[in-house]
Amino acid sequence: MGKVWFVGAGPGDPDLITVKGRALIQQAGAILYAGSLVSAAALRWAPAGCEIGDSKGMTLPEISDWLKTRAAQHATVVRLQTGDPTLYGSLLELVQPLDAAGIALEVVPGVSSALAAAAAAVESLTLPEVTQTVILTRVEGRTPMPSGEALADLAAHHTTLCLFLSITLLQRVREALLAAGWSDDSPVLVVQKASWPGQQRIVRGSLADIRERCRAEQIHEQAMIIVSPTLGARHWPELRHSKLYDPTFRHRYRGGPPPREVQP
Ligand code: SAH
């Protein structure tokens, strides 16, 4: 009986898969990848004779049956998921049937699109004395939000917000943030196909005009929305520096007494 590996493929650039994920692909007997969001190029490391399937159009029971039958035939079966498998990826719906069948499995993390989008735009999701918190969430669509997680409630914290699965709902994003006290000129970043070679697009705007800008660019899928008080800080004349690099903040690596906290 083989093992099923849920592997984060990263956001699209095949070079952004982890070394461990790539090694698993190289030894896989069967790989099932998750539709259009995982670049087929990520499969360039699959060995000759490896069975490769696309789960696009398959139901969850069909996917878990596919994984179960392949695990009976191969030592290594890979389920390749976009970004990181623990975010919006139906991970546990697939894990439960494998558990019930007594099939061993492991999860290998991947670079989430939220992080790839920030990197693409040279933005920092946290900044000292601006915000030290990132909320990964989505706007309510077909999947209802649990109570207390309406975007207006989360946005009231005025932290960085990374919004998945919400690019067609920018009007709702604006309404929720205005209700939470953000102003219409708050900067908004949208990155479509972050890290995809030759296909990445970055759109910047404000709460008031980002919807129009995305419409003009015909961006209505595969896009990350980031709203944050840190956006644009690359160009701020005065940036508060992290305490870790403060010359007065001596710590043991620089010959001073150990700090109470070594994180930046
Ligand atoms: N597990 C994935 C998210 C899957 S949900 C991750 O960690 O990234 C699918 C949503 O992710 C899309 O609607 C979009 O909001 C976002 N997404 C996935 N890949 C993306 C990419 N390359 N660029 C921008 N957004 C992306």
Side-chain angles (χ1 to χ4, degrees):
M1 188 82 98
K3 183 164 173 176
V4 175
W5 297 81
F6 290 85
V7 174
D13 178 349
D15 283 343
L16 285 177
I17 194 169
T18 63
V19 172
K20 181 163 185 163
R22 185 177 67 186
L24 287 163
I25 287 177
Q26 284 168 332
Q27 67 185 59
I31 300 171
L32 187 63
Y33 67 94
S36 61
L37 273 171
V38 174
S39 165
L43 303 178
R44 70 165 72 141
W45 296 289
C50 175
E51 182 184 358
I52 297 175
D54 181 355
S55 63
K56 193 171 156 198
M58 289 167 80
T59 62
L60 278 173
E62 284 167 351
I63 295 172
S64 62
D65 285 348
W66 196 101
L67 296 172
K68 272 192 273 184
T69 52
R70 277 23 173 226
Q73 298 159 4
H74 305 285
T76 303
V77 176
V78 170
R79 163 65 175 167
L80 203 53
Q81 308 216 177
T82 160
D84 183 87
T86 69
L87 292 169
Y88 309 105
S90 311
L91 175 66
L92 298 183
E93 290 97 315
L94 295 174
V95 162
Q96 282 191 344
L98 296 177
D99 278 346
I103 295 169
L105 60 93
E106 253 186 82
V107 181
V108 178
V111 176
S112 174
S113 55
L115 307 178
V122 195
E123 295 288 355
S124 183
L125 298 177
T126 62
L127 267 184
E129 297 180 39
V130 178
T131 183
Q132 294 287 284
T133 304
V134 181
I135 295 177
L136 307 180
T137 188
R138 58 177 299 173
V139 177
E140 183 162 83
R142 273 175 302 175
T143 307
M145 293 299 277
S147 87
E149 294 186 28
L151 185 57
D153 295 334
L154 300 176
H157 295 281
H158 287 264
T159 64
T160 296
L161 299 164
C162 297
L163 304 175
F164 292 74
L165 300 159
S166 302
I167 192 61
T168 59
L169 302 169
L170 279 166
Q171 182 56 29
R172 272 190 230 174
V173 173
R174 181 182 180 197
E175 286 161 11
L177 269 68
L178 291 177
W182 294 62
S183 66
D184 238 350
D185 61 0
S186 305
V188 180
L189 168 70
V190 168
V191 183
Q192 186 183 42
K193 295 191 175 179
S195 87
W196 284 44
Q199 296 190 51
Q200 169 180 287
R201 286 200 287 165
I202 297 176
V203 178
R204 291 178 185 273
S206 66
L207 263 190
D209 68 11
I210 192 71
R211 185 160 167 250
E212 207 41 60
R213 285 174 188 265
C214 287
R215 187 180 292 169
E217 298 278 334
Q218 298 193 336
I219 292 177
H220 31 67
E221 58 174 4
Q222 297 174 359
M224 174 63 46
I225 306 163
I226 299 181
V227 197
S228 173
T230 67
L231 288 180
R234 180 184 190 177
H235 305 294
W236 294 353
E238 272 189 46
L239 200 59
R240 292 220 176 256
H241 287 205
S242 162
K243 285 271 186 282
L244 187 63
Y245 302 107
D246 185 336
T248 62
F249 185 77
R250 292 159 58 81
H251 56 70
R252 86 188 113 180
Y253 303 109
R254 295 186 197 151
R260 270 180 296 174
E261 196 179 298
V262 286
Q263 274 140 356

